[in-house]
């Protein structure tokens, strides 16, 4: 990766813990942003008039004490010494250096200064690397690093990262990264040699069953070990006598030759000592076995003859892989696949490594003090860094992203431990829901109403929702980034049915105050009964309120005293003991959804009527809806002002200068003459410019978040104002029901936006439009009409409701269940929902020994039955979404897709195999035996495993797991007959689900938005530069492996594709795919879209076989997450047909065109323009496949639709008519001269129009495609070949080729990125 990712410290992932204070002393690294001329242009200052900042890059010479003695490293004066140190240690020839300092001109360079502070540093300067004496911490970090580099570290297991966490399948899809892949030109020639053999779609079946191996990694070649073991010796730590002599650690090394060495880590380096397993003598060993080196890597090379060859083989194997697929994720939590291969978690996959248990000591020291951090102080001190210059903002935002990523990781790990009961509470005498915890400097509490705060709001249900809204509120305030206002680090961890809130500890929050002193300094103290005022919070809170459209309003305490607050009474201000102002409890930044509560909620604790029994009163409006309503009201204001101005100008022309309707018209009438005429010649330009401008400073809209919350105004004026506030909030809910939701349905129905692929994309799209998920039932109800796209929306919405209802039911059982019993609970519930085909009366598979251990546990899940679970799901769907499922809903679900949704929502990782699911009886081929669980799990590496029944002609395979299982697991695997679809052992792992409050980089988003605007305004050069700068900022701030970086790669790749920079588009699209897989998910909708666009770019770049492999993989993923009939899949089918036609596979291309046309007829209607466009292309494909009668019929259909929809004079109608005449004449000619070879030549050449070689980008979910079939004629149809028969014949006779190649101007990549070539 060139100089490497600035966050990567080792090859495989364990790196030295860095606190924010360490980083504050170090760097902001500028990774991979150097252009061909060695400089990077920073254009972010162009908008405010600053000169553009040019970063010059030059090489310096690093003089080393050992081989290779000298290396060249590129540096920038805007970088820091830490950047240079990272560049040195990440090169293969200098891996061994970790403890050193640098000198220039004989002077030691401070490690925490800028390179610009080094006097005389210029191109060609020599910097000398000097090895330093080790400290114990340096020695421990050196051991950790060397173990990683030489591959001696075994696999790690933790509660946060599951099996195959951060998996990428990119390398196994097509041979683009192999050593023989070569350049794009070589791949193009390879593709053209054997087009028919390079068709990955040859055996693709449109309606085939789901292919489980699509989600599994291919078998990687295993490299030989470089050593057997390297770890801490049993003689460690050094006794005081030897510690005084410089001994730091004692190590034990076993080489591949079988020799065992006892090593001493000394302040001067490492040497072989005289100790053995039974004798202690840490002094240097005498020759010939003596050896000493400053680096442990060098010492191992001297001791093991085979080490060098094995180490070089390891490096070569690592170099063959894409670095993005192997580097550790340091700034984002990796995605965890919901299906995992048996080979990834089998007993053979877990290798022995004694040092794995010693890593905590190596990383943290004996006292474990090196990893203890004051998270709150680090977060707040980072926020307080200067932000005056662009460089300051980059430095600050990068550190913020780093500290939030580290906090999220630590908080999620601690939350999982708390949920498992492995952390002691601070208040063990309280009820379980009221218990609080502190672990690793982070405060934890349950998302439940343990102390009765939300009793009137819905109890535990309200508390669970409130903490979720609080995290969202903290995220919004963090995004505002208001100086002087602090928020604690906050995340939510959902794990094993429990919801935990993790927060950094605010100084003073546990402080015992005086009896008459409120516990908080601003806002409601005890609900709304006691309210605190503090003028110190008004200025900062007012900035939050203004940005979030919150109205400054009055509230009244229990004594009727009036308090004027800037935010909701529930929002609190706390003055910490560190002097900072903290804003807390941000779960009510927006008003309540009063229309929902009026319809479905009623106060009281008695039994509520079914129509008004919604579980909680925390139903608030989304901030996106408030923003949408604000834009609508502002547009109405602007329109009214323009109307006033227009009327005022008319009055001025009529001579009535005394009447000035508004302030905006005053400036225009000021220059009016006494006779009533204006100087049109002098003021015409100014008037034209100002006519469309309106001063919106007078427009204001804010909402009162405390209306409908029990506040009681006292005076008539207060009551009137409160009533106005209530009317405004009701207007927002009317806007939701009358505009937002109908537009949402309309846009999906009319193909205005990309259709969601799964529950996650549907929820994300709803949230983007300002629609809460509780309205998914209403969306399903509004989609019951016969439109196929709306039917697809209804099915997807019902699937999402069922999955969420199952989650709530499962959480109810899991909440009070011991962790070892969770797999049995989940397996039984899945059997009741999806496994009734195998066993319609499943029984819970409980372990008797575990039941005996946990006598007080709640095993009520064992009483669940299929009918009872279905009833619970129906009740939950009605309760939470106000939607009634049909009686036959269970037979209409898609079980694999539903299983995936459930697994993602609960954090499940299941064994990858073909489960015999309930509603697949009719779709499974008749020759495939039922797949059930017998007495043992039988599985293959590629996931075609069957439980108890093999697919190898009925021959049984050896059951290996009986001997490998522990006594407890073996007992749990003994399942009584009849068998079950799911058994507890199928639940491989459960990972936490995390919701964080990390904000996006404002600076990077500003550059991205500026680039988009410039591109829209057709300022391509400026837009391209700004987008590249945004990418540079995203990489610097987030690190390379981050979801936001993947999205920028994706957008920039689309830009390069549109401006014909194909190589750059392919390069960025590959990166987007890998990062999306590792951070979002290997089967997420964003990953599928990235693969589809990568396919498009590879085809445009001439690599059609690779493009088809991407298409195949994306389509297989599409089957898994949605099914084979997604409403937008016709675009992908059409693109595949075009690619096959490019390979001259005309019959195969025809099949895909026919499928695309059939999907269009089903989804858009037989008389739609989209169907006509595809019929036009299908007619051409039929002609190429020598089906002339079919070609005439399809072209006649296209002509009829165009004529009916667009009229006879439309260009598309005329083109279809012309082609219909040509096809008819040609068909008659072919019939008369069937045996004429020349006629065949004419037939082949005549009907290969260039239009069929166009592909279209896939529309992103919730957004329109640049060439999407959204009711308008697609671009390809507008580009129909309009040459006459004579012209075509002349062309045929001159060339005789079926396709005419248009020479294209070969453009150079505008910015060749060094890291891009290596990545």
């Amino acid at each position: 990766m060139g100089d490497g990712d600035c966050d990567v410290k080792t090859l495989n992932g364990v790196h030295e813990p860095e606190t924010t204070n360490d980083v504050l002393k170090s760097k902001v690294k500028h990774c991979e942003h150097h252009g061909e001329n060695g400089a990077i242009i920073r254009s972010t200052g162009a908008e405010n008039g600053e000169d553009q900042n040019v970063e010059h890059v030059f090489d310096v010479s690093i003089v080393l004490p050992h081989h290779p003695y000298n290396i060249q490293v590129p540096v920038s004066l805007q970088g820091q010494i830490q950047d240079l140190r990272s560049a040195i240690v990440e090169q293969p020839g200098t891996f061994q250096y970790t403890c050193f300092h640098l000198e220039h001109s004989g002077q030691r360079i401070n490690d925490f200064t800028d390179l610009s502070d080094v006097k005389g540093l210029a191109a060609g300067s020599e910097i000398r690397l000097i090895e330093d004496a080790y400290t114990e911490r340096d020695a421990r970090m050196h051991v950790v690093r060397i173990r990683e580099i030489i591959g001696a570290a075994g696999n790690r297991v933790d509660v946060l990262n599951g099996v195959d966490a951060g998996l990428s399948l990119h390398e196994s899809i097509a041979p683009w990264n192999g050593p023989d892949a070569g350049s794009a030109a070589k791949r193009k020639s390879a593709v053209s040699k054997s087009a028919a053999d390079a068709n990955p779609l040859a055996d693709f079946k449109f309606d085939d069953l789901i292919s489980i191996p699509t989600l599994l990694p291919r078998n990687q070649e295993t490299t030989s070990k470089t050593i057997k073991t390297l770890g801490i010796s049993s003689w460690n730590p050094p006794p005081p006598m030897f510690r005084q002599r410089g001994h730091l650690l004692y190590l034990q090394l076993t080489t591949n030759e079988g020799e065992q060495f006892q090593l001493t880590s000394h302040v001067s380096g490492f040497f072989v000592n005289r100790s053995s397993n039974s004798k202690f003598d840490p002094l240097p060993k005498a020759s010939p076995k003596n050896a000493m080196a400053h680096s442990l890597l060098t010492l191992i090379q001297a001791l093991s003859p085979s080490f060098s060859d094995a180490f070089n083989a390891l490096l070569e194997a690592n170099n063959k892989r894409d670095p993005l697929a192997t580097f550790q994720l340091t700034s984002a939590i990796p995605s965890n696949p919901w299906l995992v291969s048996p080979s990834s978690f089998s007993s053979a996959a877990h290798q022995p490594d004694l040092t794995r248990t010693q890593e905590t000591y190596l990383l943290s020291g004996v006292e474990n003090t090196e990893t203890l951090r004051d998270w709150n102080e680090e977060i707040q001190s980072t926020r307080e860094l200067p932000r005056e210059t662009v460089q300051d903002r980059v430095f600050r935002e990068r550190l913020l992203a780093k500290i939030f990523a580290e906090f999220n990781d630590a908080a999620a790990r601690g939350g999982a431990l708390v949920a498992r009961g492995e952390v002691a509470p601070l208040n063990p005498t309280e009820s379980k829901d009221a218990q609080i915890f502190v672990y690793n400097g982070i405060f934890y509490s349950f998302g439940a109403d343990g102390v009765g705060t939300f009793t009137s709001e819905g109890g535990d249900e309200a508390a669970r929702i409130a903490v979720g809204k609080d995290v969202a509120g903290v995220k919004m305030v963090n995004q505002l980034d208001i100086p002087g206002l602090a928020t604690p680090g906050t995340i939510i961890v959902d794990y094993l049915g429990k919801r935990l809130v993790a927060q950094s500890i605010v100084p003073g929050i546990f402080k015992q105050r005086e009896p008459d002193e409120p516990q908080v300094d601003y806002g409601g103290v005890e609900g709304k009964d006691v309210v605190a005022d503090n003028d110190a919070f008004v200025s900062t809170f007012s900035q939050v309120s203004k940005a979030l459209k919150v109205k400054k309003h009055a509230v009244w305490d229990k004594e009727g005293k009036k308090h004027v607050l800037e935010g909701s009474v529930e929002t609190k201000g706390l003055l910490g003991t560190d002097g900072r102002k903290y804003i807390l409890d941000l779960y009510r930044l927006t008003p309540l959804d009063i229309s929902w509560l009026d319809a479905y909620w009623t106060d009281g604790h008695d039994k509520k009527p079914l129509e008004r029994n919604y579980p909680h009163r925390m139903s608030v409006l989304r901030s996106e809806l408030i923003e949408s309503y604000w834009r609508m009201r502002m547009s109405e204001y602007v329109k009214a002002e323009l109307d006033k101005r227009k009327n005022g100008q008319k009055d001025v022309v009529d001579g009535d200068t005394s009447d000035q309707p508004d302030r905006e018209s005053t400036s225009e009438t000021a220059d009016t003459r006494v006779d009533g005429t204006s100087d049109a010649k002098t003021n015409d330009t100014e008037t034209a410019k100002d006519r469309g401008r309106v001063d919106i400073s007078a427009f204001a809209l804010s909402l009162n978040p405390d209306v409908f919350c029990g506040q009681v105004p006292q005076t008539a004026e207060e009551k009137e104002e409160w009533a106005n506030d209530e009317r405004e909030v009701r207007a927002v809910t009317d806007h939701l029901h009358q505009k937002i939701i109908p537009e949402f349905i309309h846009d999906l129905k009319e193909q205005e936006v990309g259709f969601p692929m799964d529950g996650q994309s549907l929820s994300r799209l709803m949230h983007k439009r300002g629609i809460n998920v509780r309205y998914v039932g209403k969306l399903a109800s509004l989609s019951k009409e016969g439109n196929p796209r709306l039917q697809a929306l209804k099915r997807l919405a019902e699937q999402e409701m069922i999955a969420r209802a199952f989650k709530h039911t499962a959480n109810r059982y899991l909440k009070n269940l011991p962790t070892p019993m969770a797999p049995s609970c989940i397996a039984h519930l899945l059997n009741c929902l999806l496994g009734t085909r195998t066993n319609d009366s499943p029984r819970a598979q409980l372990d008797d020994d575990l039941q005996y251990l946990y006598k007080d546990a709640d095993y009520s899940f064992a009483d669940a039955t299929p009918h009872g679970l279905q009833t619970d799901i129906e009740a939950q769907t009605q309760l939470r979404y106000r939607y009634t499922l049909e009686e036959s809903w269970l037979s209409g679900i898609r079980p694999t897709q539903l299983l995936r949704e459930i697994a993602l929502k609960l954090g499940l990782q299941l064994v990858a195999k073909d489960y015999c699911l309930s509603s697949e009886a009719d779709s499974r081929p008749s020759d495939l035996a039922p797949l059930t669980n017998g007495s043992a799990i039988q599985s293959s590496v590629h996931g075609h495993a069957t439980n108890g029944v093999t697919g190898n002609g009925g021959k049984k395979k050896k059951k290996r797991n009986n001997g490998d299982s522990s006594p407890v697991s073996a007992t749990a695997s003994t399942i009584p007959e009849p068998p079950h679809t799911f058994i507890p052992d199928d639940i491989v792992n459960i990972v936490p689900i995390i919701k964080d409050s990390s904000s996006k980089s404002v600076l990077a988003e500003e550059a991205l938005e500026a680039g988009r605007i410039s591109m829209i305004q057709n300022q391509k050069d400026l837009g391209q530069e700004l987008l590249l700068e945004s990418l540079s900022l995203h990489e610097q701030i987030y690190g390379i492996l981050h979801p936001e970086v993947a999205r920028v790669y994706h957008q920039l790749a689309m830009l390069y594709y549109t401006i014909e920079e194909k190589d750059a588009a392919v390069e960025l699209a590959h990166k987007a795919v890998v990062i999306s897989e590792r951070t979002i998910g290997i089967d997420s909708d964003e990953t599928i879209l990235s693969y589809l666009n990568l396919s498009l770019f590879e085809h445009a770049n001439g690599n059609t076989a690779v493009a088809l492999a991407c298409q195949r993989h994306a389509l297989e993923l599409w089957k898994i997450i949605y099914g084979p009939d997604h409403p937008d899949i016709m675009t992908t089918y059409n693109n595949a047909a075009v690619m096959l036609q490019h390979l001259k596979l005309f019959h195969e291309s025809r099949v895909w065109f026919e499928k695309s046309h059939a999907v269009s007829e089903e989804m858009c209607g037989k008389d739609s323009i989209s169907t006509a466009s595809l019929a036009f292309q299908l007619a051409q494909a039929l002609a190429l496949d020598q089906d002339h009668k079919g070609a005439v019929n399809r072209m006649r259909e296209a002509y009829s639709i165009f004529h009916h929809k667009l009229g006879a004079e439309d260009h598309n109608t005329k083109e279809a008519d012309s082609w219909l005449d040509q096809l008819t004449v040609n068909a008659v000619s072919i019939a008369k001269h069937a045996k004429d070879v020349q006629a065949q030549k004419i037939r082949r050449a005549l009907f290969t129009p260039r239009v069929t070689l166009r592909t279209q980008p896939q529309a992103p979910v919730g957004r329109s495609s640049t060439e999407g079939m959204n009711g308008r004629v697609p671009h390809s149809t507008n580009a129909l070949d309009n040459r006459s028969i004579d012209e075509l014949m002349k062309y045929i006779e001159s060339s005789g080729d079926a396709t005419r190649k248009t020479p294209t101007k070969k453009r150079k990549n505008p910015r060749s990125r060094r890291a891009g070539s290596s990545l």
Side-chain angles (χ1 to χ4, degrees), residues 326-592:
T326 58
F327 282 164
Q328 184 203 19
L329 281 77
T330 58
S331 57
I333 294 177
S335 65
N336 295 289
W338 65 280
L339 286 179
V340 292
S341 170
S343 62
S344 299
F345 61 87
S346 64
S347 299
H350 194 63
Q351 298 297 319
D353 181 17
L354 181 62
T355 313
R356 182 168 49 216
T357 63
Q358 304 166 346
E359 281 186 348
T360 301
Y361 160 70
L362 289 173
L363 294 172
S364 308
V366 175
E367 303 296 334
N368 196 27
T369 58
E370 296 177 20
T371 57
L372 295 179
R373 304 168 63 172
D374 187 344
W375 293 104
N376 190 76
E377 180 60 30
E378 291 189 33
I379 292 173
Q380 309 312 331
S381 61
T382 305
R383 281 202 180 106
E384 293 167 355
L385 288 173
R387 59 179 88 180
E388 284 75 20
T389 66
V390 172
Q391 193 64 23
D392 287 342
R393 293 178 66 185
V394 172
F395 182 73
R396 177 178 175 274
E397 291 190 4
R398 178 175 181 270
L399 292 184
L400 274 176
K402 175 180 173 58
I403 183 62
F404 273 120
E406 293 171 348
F407 172 79
N408 294 343
D409 183 86
R413 295 178 188 277
L417 293 177
V418 172
R420 295 166 68 97
E422 299 179 16
V423 179
L426 298 180
N427 53 343
T429 59
E430 300 286 341
S431 65
K432 188 172 183 179
D433 288 342
Q435 290 177 350
I436 57 176
F437 309 81
V438 172
Y439 180 79
N440 195 16
I442 300 172
F443 173 75
Y444 295 92
S445 61
F446 288 105
D449 192 22
V451 294
T453 305
F454 297 94
T455 301
S456 61
E457 308 290 329
D460 288 346
E461 288 280 359
R464 184 181 181 92
I465 297 298
V467 296
K469 298 297 182 184
D470 182 42
V471 169
V474 173
K475 191 182 188 79
M476 286 192 288
V477 174
N478 286 343
Q479 192 65 44
L480 297 177
D481 201 11
I482 297 172
L485 187 63
T487 58
T490 309
I491 73 164
I492 282 178
V493 180
D494 287 328
Y495 187 57
L496 296 175
K498 306 174 185 68
R499 168 162 288 190
L500 288 118
V501 187
Q503 294 180 307
S504 61
I505 301 175
V506 176
I509 197 170
F510 296 124
K511 177 183 176 182
Q512 293 293 330
R513 302 198 179 194
E514 297 297 329
D516 58 342
E517 186 181 5
Q519 291 297 313
V520 297
D521 298 289
Y522 189 78
V525 180
E526 299 174 3
K528 56 181 179 291
D529 293 338
V530 179
V531 180
D533 293 316
N534 192 326
D535 293 338
F537 286 86
V538 172
S539 60
T540 52
F541 272 50
S542 64
Q543 297 179 59
V544 176
S545 300
K546 182 178 179 181
L548 299 179
K549 316 294 187 301
V550 177
K551 181 180 179 179
K552 182 178 181 179
H553 62 282
V555 296
W556 297 264
D557 57 23
K558 62 182 178 180
E559 298 178 355
K561 183 180 178 181
K562 179 179 178 180
H563 304 266
V564 178
L565 299 180
E566 289 288 347
S568 169
V569 69
E570 303 292 350
T571 302
K572 301 171 179 58
L574 177 68
L575 187 62
T577 55
D578 57 357
R580 298 186 177 100
K581 300 171 188 174
Y582 291 87
I583 184 171
L584 307 173
D585 292 350
L586 298 171
Y587 54 82
R588 193 173 284 171
L589 292 177
T590 56
L592 293 173

Side-chain angles (χ1 to χ4, degrees), residues 105-226:
S105 299
Q107 299 294 320
R108 178 166 180 161
I109 302 174
N110 190 318
D111 290 340
F112 304 104
T113 60
D114 296 333
L115 283 166
S116 58
D117 296 335
V118 181
K119 296 181 180 180
L121 186 64
S125 296
E126 280 194 358
I127 295 179
R128 189 171 297 275
L129 186 150
I130 307 298
E131 296 174 333
D132 284 338
Y134 286 97
T135 64
E136 183 196 336
R137 182 176 185 272
D138 293 333
R140 287 189 280 105
M141 294 304 125
H142 184 80
V143 172
V144 171
R145 176 174 170 79
I146 297 303
R147 274 173 46 84
E148 292 291 335
I149 290 176
I150 65 177
N155 58 311
R156 293 180 178 82
V157 180
D158 59 55
V159 295
L160 180 61
N161 299 329
V163 181
D164 287 337
L167 175 66
S168 174
L169 304 177
H170 170 266
E171 294 176 299
S172 61
I173 305 306
W176 40 53
N177 286 322
D180 301 327
S183 63
K186 292 181 180 179
R187 293 202 301 268
K188 293 175 188 176
S189 62
V191 168
S192 61
K193 290 180 181 178
S194 180
D197 295 338
N199 177 18
L201 300 177
D203 58 345
F204 181 84
K205 293 180 174 56
F206 297 99
D207 299 319
D208 198 5
L209 290 176
I210 290 170
S211 175
I212 296 299
T214 304
L215 296 177
L216 305 182
R218 307 300 186 265
N219 289 331
Q220 298 286 345
E221 294 184 3
T222 57
T223 56
S224 58
K225 279 190 164 187
T226 55

Side-chain angles (χ1 to χ4, degrees), residues 834-883:
L834 299 173
T836 53
R837 180 188 171 200
T838 303
N839 186 343
D840 59 1
S841 300
R843 294 178 57 188
Q845 303 157 60
L846 299 176
D847 184 275
D848 295 336
D849 294 336
L850 291 178
Q851 277 189 286
Y852 179 79
L853 288 174
Y854 299 103
K855 296 178 181 179
D856 298 332
D858 181 7
Y859 296 106
S860 58
F861 73 88
D863 299 328
T865 63
H867 177 74
L869 180 60
Q870 294 169 28
T871 302
D872 286 345
I873 289 176
E874 292 168 0
Q876 289 287 331
T877 303
Q878 176 62 37
L879 175 68
R880 299 179 183 277
Y881 311 110
R882 300 296 145 174
Y883 185 80

Side-chain angles (χ1 to χ4, degrees), residues 786-1037:
N787 183 278
R789 290 179 67 87
L790 293 186
Q791 288 294 312
L793 176 61
K794 173 178 173 290
R795 187 194 66 77
L796 189 59
E798 288 182 345
Q799 176 179 286
E800 179 68 4
M801 288 186 285
I802 294 168
R804 288 175 176 265
F806 181 92
K807 178 190 72 172
H808 288 292
T809 302
N811 284 340
R812 187 176 74 246
Y813 290 124
L814 289 170
K815 183 178 180 180
N816 299 313
L817 199 64
T819 302
M821 303 303 295
S824 297
C825 174
I826 294 171
H828 179 61
L829 294 178
L830 289 176
N831 281 326
C832 290
L833 179 65
L834 299 173
T836 53
R837 180 188 171 200
T838 303
N839 186 343
D840 59 1
S841 300
R843 294 178 57 188
Q845 303 157 60
L846 299 176
D847 184 275
D848 295 336
D849 294 336
L850 291 178
Q851 277 189 286
Y852 179 79
L853 288 174
Y854 299 103
K855 296 178 181 179
D856 298 332
D858 181 7
Y859 296 106
S860 58
F861 73 88
D863 299 328
T865 63
H867 177 74
L869 180 60
Q870 294 169 28
T871 302
D872 286 345
I873 289 176
E874 292 168 0
Q876 289 287 331
T877 303
Q878 176 62 37
L879 175 68
R880 299 179 183 277
Y881 311 110
R882 300 296 145 174
Y883 185 80
T884 303
L885 293 170
E886 300 174 358
E887 292 184 2
S888 59
W889 65 268
L890 189 57
S891 61
I893 63 173
R894 298 187 174 182
T896 302
Q897 287 75 23
L898 180 58
L899 177 61
R900 174 182 177 270
E901 293 288 351
I902 291 172
L904 293 178
K905 286 174 172 54
L906 291 175
L908 307 181
Q909 290 190 290
L910 308 174
V911 178
K913 59 186 177 186
D914 291 323
Y915 293 100
C916 181
L917 303 178
S918 294
S919 61
E920 291 182 340
D922 297 332
S923 60
R924 188 175 295 276
S926 59
D927 59 344
L928 186 61
L931 305 179
T932 59
N933 276 304
S935 58
I937 300 176
Q938 297 181 359
S939 56
S940 68
V941 173
H942 296 292
H944 291 298
T946 63
N947 291 330
V949 179
T950 64
N952 186 20
K955 295 181 180 180
K956 298 283 184 178
K957 296 181 180 179
K958 282 188 177 181
K959 301 178 182 178
R960 301 178 56 186
N961 66 322
N962 288 340
D964 297 335
S965 301
S966 63
V968 174
S969 63
T971 305
S973 297
T974 304
I975 306 170
E977 295 295 338
H980 296 78
T981 299
F982 297 93
I983 61 174
D985 287 345
D986 290 335
I987 315 300
V988 177
N989 191 29
I990 304 175
V991 296
I993 305 298
I994 300 162
K995 298 178 182 178
D996 64 70
S997 58
S998 306
S999 60
K1000 294 183 180 180
S1001 166
V1002 177
L1003 183 61
E1005 292 296 321
E1006 287 174 353
L1008 181 61
E1009 187 62 25
R1012 288 172 180 165
I1013 294 174
S1014 299
M1015 295 301 296
I1016 293 173
Q1017 296 174 347
N1018 205 29
Q1019 299 176 345
K1020 292 187 177 180
D1021 292 339
L1022 176 60
Q1024 183 177 349
E1025 190 66 31
L1026 287 170
L1027 289 173
L1028 281 171
E1029 180 64 21
S1030 174
L1031 175 60
S1032 170
L1033 292 171
H1034 274 86
E1035 291 175 338
Q1036 291 182 67
I1037 292 168

Side-chain angles (χ1 to χ4, degrees), residues 1060 1062 1100 1142 1248-1251 1253-1254 1279 1281 1283 1291 1295 1297-1306:
E1060 299 296 325
K1062 299 174 183 178
H1142 177 79
T1248 312
R1250 286 174 296 161
V1251 63
L1253 297 181
R1254 283 194 66 90
D1281 197 334
R1283 291 174 292 175
Y1291 164 70
S1295 65
D1297 193 4
T1299 58
R1300 183 175 66 181
K1301 296 181 180 178
T1302 303
T1304 57
K1305 181 180 179 182
K1306 185 172 181 62

